[in-house]
Amino acid sequence: MNLVRLIYASHKTEFWNDLELGKLLESAQRFNKAKNLTGMLYFNRKYFLQCIEGQRDDVSALYSEIVKDKRHRDVQILAFEEIDEREMEHWNMCYLPDSQVTQSMVLKYTNGTDFDPFSMTGRGALNFMLNASRQLKASQRDVAEKPAGH
Amino acid sequence: MNLVRLIYASHKTEFWNDLELGKLLESAQRFNKAKNLTGMLYFNRKYFLQCIEGQRDDVSALYSEIVKDKRHRDVQILAFEEIDEREMEHWNMCYLPDSQVTQSMVLKYTNGTDFDPFSMTGRGALNFMLNASRQLKASQRDVAEKPAGH
Amino acid sequence: MNLVRLIYASHKTEFWNDLELGKLLESAQRFNKAKNLTGMLYFNRKYFLQCIEGQRDDVSALYSEIVKDKRHRDVQILAFEEIDEREMEHWNMCYLPDSQVTQSMVLKYTNGTDFDPFSMTGRGALNFMLNASRQLKASQRDVAEKPAGH
Amino acid sequence: MNLVRLIYASHKTEFWNDLELGKLLESAQRFNKAKNLTGMLYFNRKYFLQCIEGQRDDVSALYSEIVKDKRHRDVQILAFEEIDEREMEHWNMCYLPDSQVTQSMVLKYTNGTDFDPFSMTGRGALNFMLNASRQLKASQRDVAEKPAGH
Amino acid sequence: MNLVRLIYASHKTEFWNDLELGKLLESAQRFNKAKNLTGMLYFNRKYFLQCIEGQRDDVSALYSEIVKDKRHRDVQILAFEEIDEREMEHWNMCYLPDSQVTQSMVLKYTNGTDFDPFSMTGRGALNFMLNASRQLKASQRDVAEKPAGH
Amino acid sequence: MNLVRLIYASHKTEFWNDLELGKLLESAQRFNKAKNLTGMLYFNRKYFLQCIEGQRDDVSALYSEIVKDKRHRDVQILAFEEIDEREMEHWNMCYLPDSQVTQSMVLKYTNGTDFDPFSMTGRGALNFMLNASRQLKASQRDVAEKPAGH
Amino acid sequence: MNLVRLIYASHKTEFWNDLELGKLLESAQRFNKAKNLTGMLYFNRKYFLQCIEGQRDDVSALYSEIVKDKRHRDVQILAFEEIDEREMEHWNMCYLPDSQVTQSMVLKYTNGTDFDPFSMTGRGALNFMLNASRQLKASQRDVAEKPAGH
Amino acid sequence: MNLVRLIYASHKTEFWNDLELGKLLESAQRFNKAKNLTGMLYFNRKYFLQCIEGQRDDVSALYSEIVKDKRHRDVQILAFEEIDEREMEHWNMCYLPDSQVTQSMVLKYTNGTDFDPFSMTGRGALNFMLNASRQLKASQRDVAEKPAGH
Amino acid sequence: MNLVRLIYASHKTEFWNDLELGKLLESAQRFNKAKNLTGMLYFNRKYFLQCIEGQRDDVSALYSEIVKDKRHRDVQILAFEEIDEREMEHWNMCYLPDSQVTQSMVLKYTNGTDFDPFSMTGRGALNFMLNASRQLKASQRDVAEKPAGH
Amino acid sequence: MNLVRLIYASHKTEFWNDLELGKLLESAQRFNKAKNLTGMLYFNRKYFLQCIEGQRDDVSALYSEIVKDKRHRDVQILAFEEIDEREMEHWNMCYLPDSQVTQSMVLKYTNGTDFDPFSMTGRGALNFMLNASRQLKASQRDVAEKPAGH
Ligand SMILES: Cc1cc2nc3c(=O)[nH]c(=O)nc-3n(C[C@H](O)[C@H](O)[C@H](O)COP(=O)(O)O)c2cc1C
Ligand SMILES: Cc1cc2nc3c(=O)[nH]c(=O)nc-3n(C[C@H](O)[C@H](O)[C@H](O)COP(=O)(O)O)c2cc1C
Ligand SMILES: Cc1cc2nc3c(=O)[nH]c(=O)nc-3n(C[C@H](O)[C@H](O)[C@H](O)COP(=O)(O)O)c2cc1C
Ligand SMILES: Cc1cc2nc3c(=O)[nH]c(=O)nc-3n(C[C@H](O)[C@H](O)[C@H](O)COP(=O)(O)O)c2cc1C
Ligand SMILES: Cc1cc2nc3c(=O)[nH]c(=O)nc-3n(C[C@H](O)[C@H](O)[C@H](O)COP(=O)(O)O)c2cc1C
Ligand SMILES: Cc1cc2nc3c(=O)[nH]c(=O)nc-3n(C[C@H](O)[C@H](O)[C@H](O)COP(=O)(O)O)c2cc1C
Ligand SMILES: Cc1cc2nc3c(=O)[nH]c(=O)nc-3n(C[C@H](O)[C@H](O)[C@H](O)COP(=O)(O)O)c2cc1C
Ligand SMILES: Cc1cc2nc3c(=O)[nH]c(=O)nc-3n(C[C@H](O)[C@H](O)[C@H](O)COP(=O)(O)O)c2cc1C
Ligand SMILES: Cc1cc2nc3c(=O)[nH]c(=O)nc-3n(C[C@H](O)[C@H](O)[C@H](O)COP(=O)(O)O)c2cc1C
Ligand SMILES: Cc1cc2nc3c(=O)[nH]c(=O)nc-3n(C[C@H](O)[C@H](O)[C@H](O)COP(=O)(O)O)c2cc1C
């Protein structure tokens, strides 16, 4: 079964509570590890941008769950592609807080400094994510989680 | 806003009733026309394979609905791409019954004559759909619906 | 001096009067012929989509005039490229009425049957225009004007 | 909405006053920041060459304003393209004084050491601008303004 | 699971009996149909050249069987590739007798008129097979078997 | 005669005994050296993934033997290509134990940390093998055998 | 010695006399035939556009002569390339009078209906010439001269 | 063993006798057929241009013989390439007399109407030969010999 | 107006006097600077090889002068191309004496150590010149003249 | 005249005497220098592999001589191409003894550690030679001869 990479954007709703972020990540990492899913989640208190890598059926199944999650809305696919190798194999779900990526990096890929993923093209979203993941790998820091698969 | 094309496969459930196919198509066509969505639905009494073209947010919104529909399960994205022009501009949702595509065409793209879309690669699924849509256009027959947008 | 092709979209204003379309075209054709400009104007009673080919300074000078014209607003560049040869050398400004291009052709390139050029990508706009110009040439009909340059 | 990059050249008029340059830049930076526009302005006491990056409608709207500005004339588009990422995300409008770019760099891209942007091809203009912006980034100096978006 | 195409050459042994060719084909077609394998077998009373298309595990499993078949030896893989669509979807195993392909066609792809598949490159073998299958399709004749999958 | 590279996956059977691994490698290296075959064998106590480089007939002949070996089953070709130069010229059969490649490297190319080569595409398998061989060469360590050809 | 193709434009001077055109062509054809030069000359009573094909030294030698000819001035190279085959092998110097190419063809490649070769790019000039030569070949008419080389 | 195509030019010597051409061709065809060599020989009473296709060692062996043949001199390789399929599979050595190819075809690829193969580039020589062989095939005429391999 | 680059070779005549080289360079640099022409002149006491960059009309005008100069003959164009940027912007006419480029560099691009530019292809001549100019830039030495444009 | 590169393999005969190698190289270097030929000769006491660069007629003329040399047989062309620049400009004929290239380098490109050039493809032979020449250049050692052209 081919590996795929999916990137989507969404908008938080009134059901979202910033305090639960840690819990969400924890359970996401647990679930993703069980399914061998890897990826990154970017959140700026308003929008989510998430990248998920894994087996095609697992990625789709998770996406179907995520779509039903009341904590966000307007879930929108930005990019989807079959891949030969993952780029985010080090994280089951790496959290990328807003402060970590510089303002100019957001501006580089979107139309604003208040990050709005809906204004990104598929390729822009992909570049943004790959760019961020490469910077993270370079800095050798395992962000906000234990290594994937352990 | 860019146009996109999404193709997914799914498996019918016990909630599906073949007799309601006509009604589903009718309401799909009505809804899609309102949203300027175009595409094709292939069904072989077991699996669905659907292609949806339109504005990125509309396609994602419809996909989010479809994913929740109890009448099928294992909804799985096979292909997704930004496009400059639609290929299925003539149909808001063209129904492609199993008998219409020949057995050898199914065999050409999948591993069987009993069509199983889950065994298709993204490119295979795309080729299958574009191939079918071109054959339909060539034969000049408006299949199973009125022209899109009227 | 290199030749260029520019495509823009705009929105008519209250200063626009459908009855003056003929006059506009006539004077546009006269001016364009004097400047060796060629192109196409598409209008659907709400939006304009125009393609202008010619010498870079002439195209820019005309565009600067057009931008100031009170009869439309939100004038937005969709595509611009240096070209080795024109595609619309047969018309100083060919008028492409809404009825002439089929509904499905509009749907093919935009997100609707009520044509909205602002939803087109640059490449989509270019394809739409070139597609239309090729169809016109094929049908051998000189539409709504005398040959360019006479 | 896609990001675009537009480059134009123009000729100063008698309404231009070198002393107002600072004021122009300041207000340009303020406006551009509000609209998330980024770019560079090159001026050699005779010609302007400007590069503007941002959302397509914002770039076109600003260009329509600039075209009407009496302080320059013969405003001519040299290059326009849809982009996936900005190159000038660090500056809302970076001023590039004549002295800063060496004479040989001007000679490299144009036909003279007295810079004449009208003699540049679109690609030449693009290369010139990207080259300059990369040199600026490399030298780590924020020229003549505060970081974009702050 | 991806589809693949495998081409191999082999040399008949003393266990081979020309009279059993019909029986071999019949059982091959029966088996291949059950496994949705398609392809072509070329035989010139000395060498075999066979092309097999189907699911990767099925093709490999059949190849493992064929390798053990005492009726030929020196079984050698010439080409193997993942494919998006089959080229031989019309035949579960089409027999291509020596007389049917002209001498010059053999000479075109090998070093002789007495066909020796071992002298072919992978690409040459592929071209030979695709060329033959296209000629067969063009001539609309179903050779030596019933349609695949029935 | 052209050089080729073949990669296959297989599943150990009850006839396999981990203690005999050393003996298998030794005899494989002896045989391969005699035939100028080079390559790599990856084993994770469950699956084998092997890459073999050499002359086309030798590679095929060895593969035919391997296929009949009762110690594994479900032998499946993942990739096969004609090559201009070997990548594994330093090892007649390099053993790559599971511990040596990191977990994240397995995850990068497959759908799991428990390595399952059957879930790899041909390209993925190739990348995995070439990646591993490059890392080995870089680390300058001759793993588990004497240099090839001596 | 490689073959080359050279295209230049020039402006007639007061030393030019339209009545001598026939004589010029005749002697040009005689000379070119002796040197195996082939090509086309376009003249619109004001400008010349000429294409010359042949051996590199012969083309350069002729061009050196032409440059010194007082009957025109501002001789300017538009295009020059090494070629594997000629496109104008049928004419030692084919005369292409203004009336023969349509107005719209001139407009297609230049900025005007009064042909001005100086406004052409190299590629535009090449396309114009090749286009004209293909049309001439298609119409099977040997224009204004006997076949080359006789 | 790969197939190759070799093209060379040479100059006849005093040992050459035009009357023996027939005999040369006959024995060449006999020998080439035995070795499965195919090709074309062009001769204009002064120069030879020959194309030979076949197995690499056979082509080289024949070329070594030809080089020693006293009937021509200055034997010079113009082109050599590995091929997947022959282009001249219909002729063991097709004779292409000077009269058969038109003067303009010679002029198209060389610098003269008196054919001089030494002035051709490798690609030019190849194009000339392939062009000639395609014309011959198209005209369906077997020139000056019986089919290859019989 | 586009920039172009022209390279030609020539042969000195009896009118040439090595002692005047300095004067030639000085006046060439003066003239070229006035016309914003840049380039390089290579001379080995027998042949000249010169590269000239600048506006198309200026380059052609200078070339027309050079062609008439009695001090050399057989002036032959080797390469000509439209360019987006100069490579020799640092020198109005850089003199490249024979001693400066090593013998092996001459041999690399021509057929001899006694440099003969007539034996170069257009691409070879271009590579030679660009290679030399890059080496000069790298060595940071302004050879034999003051910076261009001052 | 274009430069070409030719690579051939051959087999020593009983007329070859290892003791004469030095003399052969010396006279080869003398002759090649006179003709501006450059290249490399690899010899492993059994086979020769030689690369010759130079003017097309000189390379062919030398090859015609070499073919007649009784000291080797089965002379076989492996690769031939027109080149823009030499790779072996530093050696008129560089001798590459067997010990110098490592065993694994031979194995990398052929099917054995006892080097057999006849088993190489054209591209393999080219890669081997270029690889060897680059290693030699890198090690800055002039092997077994004085610099070319002196
Ligand atoms: C923005 C966002 C991202 C999420 N990402 C993941 C994820 O990567 N993995 C995961 O298992 N759940 C993720 N979830 C949670 C799922 O939507 C859902 O809550 C989860 O599958 C658990 O469902 P359950 O509580 O019914 O078990 C995410 C939710 C949101 C709002
Ligand atoms: C296989 C399948 C395909 C469907 N395709 C469409 C479609 O193209 N458009 C659409 O509006 N609904 C489609 N539907 C129905 C939606 O899932 C959902 O029922 C629809 O949006 C109407 O929802 P509603 O009844 O809540 O209004 C499809 C359902 C299935 C099972
Ligand atoms: C949608 C639209 C398209 C136009 N196209 C052209 C045109 O192609 N050529 C032209 O000369 N004027 C065109 N015009 C008119 C110009 O905006 C302007 O009125 C014209 O240059 C005449 O200006 P004047 O009345 O000041 O001479 C167009 C106007 C509109 C609203
Ligand atoms: C060469 C030139 C460049 C300019 N660049 C910008 C710019 O980047 N952003 C901007 O807001 N205004 C720019 N302006 C000023 C605009 O033309 C116009 O004055 C501005 O939009 C303010 O208009 P307002 O005074 O009517 O608000 C520029 C003007 C000139 C002459
Ligand atoms: C040249 C050749 C081609 C064959 N092709 C097929 C084939 O396409 N399908 C097949 O099922 N068996 C094929 N066979 C037969 C198999 O080798 C084997 O006999 C077959 O799988 C039946 O095995 P069984 O008799 O043990 O059931 C081929 C045999 C030969 C010699
Ligand atoms: C996973 C696996 C990999 C093997 N790799 C090789 C190999 O690279 N070379 C080899 O000669 N034998 C290899 N063998 C062993 C062969 O299958 C077979 O045992 C071998 O050719 C010796 O056969 P023999 O015992 O009949 O001589 C491998 C076996 C297994 C199970
Ligand atoms: C526009 C133009 C085109 C010409 N083309 C050719 C030509 O193709 N061949 C040629 O021999 N002379 C051509 N000539 C004439 C040469 O310039 C020159 O007169 C010719 O080489 C004869 O020179 P002669 O009278 O000194 O022998 C051309 C002249 C002009 C003005
Ligand atoms: C121009 C030319 C082309 C030739 N072409 C072939 C050829 O295609 N095949 C061939 O066997 N001999 C060809 N020959 C003849 C060989 O040079 C040589 O005479 C031939 O191999 C027979 O040699 P033999 O007489 O020693 O048997 C050609 C000779 C010439 C001069
Ligand atoms: C090899 C060669 C190269 C030359 N290069 C240039 C040059 O780059 N610029 C230039 O102005 N003159 C150059 N000249 C000189 C011109 O041919 C001519 O003499 C020059 O334009 C001055 O002409 P004038 O003496 O009539 O003013 C060159 C001459 C030769 C022989
Ligand atoms: C393997 C091999 C390589 C040779 N390479 C060259 C060479 O590069 N240059 C050369 O002049 N002679 C080379 N020769 C020698 C020629 O075959 C021939 O002897 C040489 O041209 C001298 O001929 P002569 O003795 O009749 O003058 C080589 C010979 C052999 C066997």
Side-chain angles (χ1 to χ4, degrees), chain C residues 33-104:
Chain C
K33 188 168 143 188
K35 294 286 187 187
N36 293 308
L37 296 164
T38 50
M40 243 184 203
L41 176 68
Y42 178 78
F43 177 52
N44 72 340
R45 307 292 143 188
K46 184 163 172 198
Y47 298 117
F48 297 100
L49 179 72
Q50 190 173 19
C51 174
I52 311 174
E53 297 172 335
Q55 209 166 276
R56 194 172 71 182
D57 53 355
D58 293 323
V59 170
S60 275
L62 174 58
Y63 182 68
S64 291
E65 283 313 303
I66 285 173
V67 148
K68 293 173 199 154
D69 199 309
K70 294 266 182 283
R71 291 172 288 183
H72 60 171
R73 58 177 166 83
D74 300 338
V75 185
Q76 192 172 129
I77 302 168
L78 302 189
F80 176 90
E81 49 171 4
E82 296 177 354
I83 56 177
D84 288 311
E85 32 189 306
R86 305 170 192 245
E87 285 298 326
M88 304 180 185
E89 70 271 16
H90 296 301
W91 315 286
N92 281 319
M93 191 45 60
C94 172
Y95 177 56
L96 199 66
D98 194 32
S99 59
Q100 197 161 0
V101 270
T102 74
Q103 294 286 346
S104 68

Side-chain angles (χ1 to χ4, degrees), chain E:
Chain E
M1 176 59 79
N2 291 348
L3 295 171
V4 303
R5 180 184 296 125
L6 180 149
I7 300 176
Y8 75 82
S10 67
H11 198 295
K12 77 167 178 185
T13 60
E14 71 268 24
F15 301 111
W16 173 259
N17 182 339
D18 281 8
L19 300 178
E20 292 173 30
L21 176 65
K23 236 169 66 187
L24 170 71
L25 280 170
E26 204 176 334
S27 85
Q29 285 163 15
R30 199 168 341 102
F31 179 85
N32 294 1
K33 187 169 146 189
K35 294 287 187 186
N36 294 307
L37 296 164
T38 49
M40 244 183 202
L41 175 67
Y42 179 78
F43 177 51
N44 73 339
R45 307 292 143 188
K46 184 163 174 198
Y47 298 118
F48 295 101
L49 179 72
Q50 189 173 20
C51 175
I52 310 174
E53 297 171 334
Q55 210 166 274
R56 195 172 69 183
D57 53 356
D58 293 323
V59 170
S60 275
L62 175 56
Y63 183 69
S64 291
E65 282 314 302
I66 285 173
V67 147
K68 294 172 198 155
D69 199 309
K70 294 265 181 283
R71 291 172 288 183
H72 59 171
R73 58 176 167 81
D74 300 339
V75 186
Q76 192 173 128
I77 303 168
L78 304 188
F80 176 89
E81 49 170 3
E82 296 177 353
I83 57 177
D84 288 311
E85 29 189 309
R86 304 169 192 247
E87 286 298 326
M88 304 181 185
E89 70 271 15
H90 296 301
W91 315 286
N92 281 317
M93 192 45 61
C94 173
Y95 178 56
L96 200 64
D98 194 34
S99 59
Q100 195 159 2
V101 270
T102 74
Q103 294 286 347
S104 68
M105 184 172 161
V106 171
L107 190 57
K108 186 176 187 69
Y109 291 102
T110 77
N111 188 42
T113 50
D114 294 341
F115 178 69
D116 173 4
F118 292 100
S119 71
M120 294 172 107
T121 60
R123 179 129 301 272
L126 191 59
N127 286 358
F128 179 87
M129 278 305 201
L130 295 179
N131 208 340
S133 92
R134 268 182 228 118
Q135 286 184 22
L136 275 178
K137 276 197 222 170
S139 70
Q140 305 277 109
R141 282 179 276 126
D142 279 355
V143 175
E145 68 153 339
K146 299 189 295 301
H150 290 273

Side-chain angles (χ1 to χ4, degrees), chain A residues 8 10 16 24 27-29 31-32 41 48 50 52 62 65-66 69 71-72 92-93:
Chain A
Y8 76 81
S10 67
W16 173 260
L24 170 71
S27 85
Q29 286 163 14
F31 179 85
N32 294 1
L41 176 67
F48 296 101
Q50 189 173 20
I52 310 174
L62 175 56
E65 282 314 304
I66 284 173
D69 199 308
R71 291 173 288 183
H72 60 172
N92 280 318
M93 190 46 59

Side-chain angles (χ1 to χ4, degrees), chain H residues 102-117:
Chain H
T102 74
Q103 295 286 345
S104 69
M105 183 171 162
V106 171
L107 190 57
K108 186 177 186 69
Y109 290 102
T110 76
N111 189 42
T113 50
D114 295 339
F115 178 70
D116 172 4

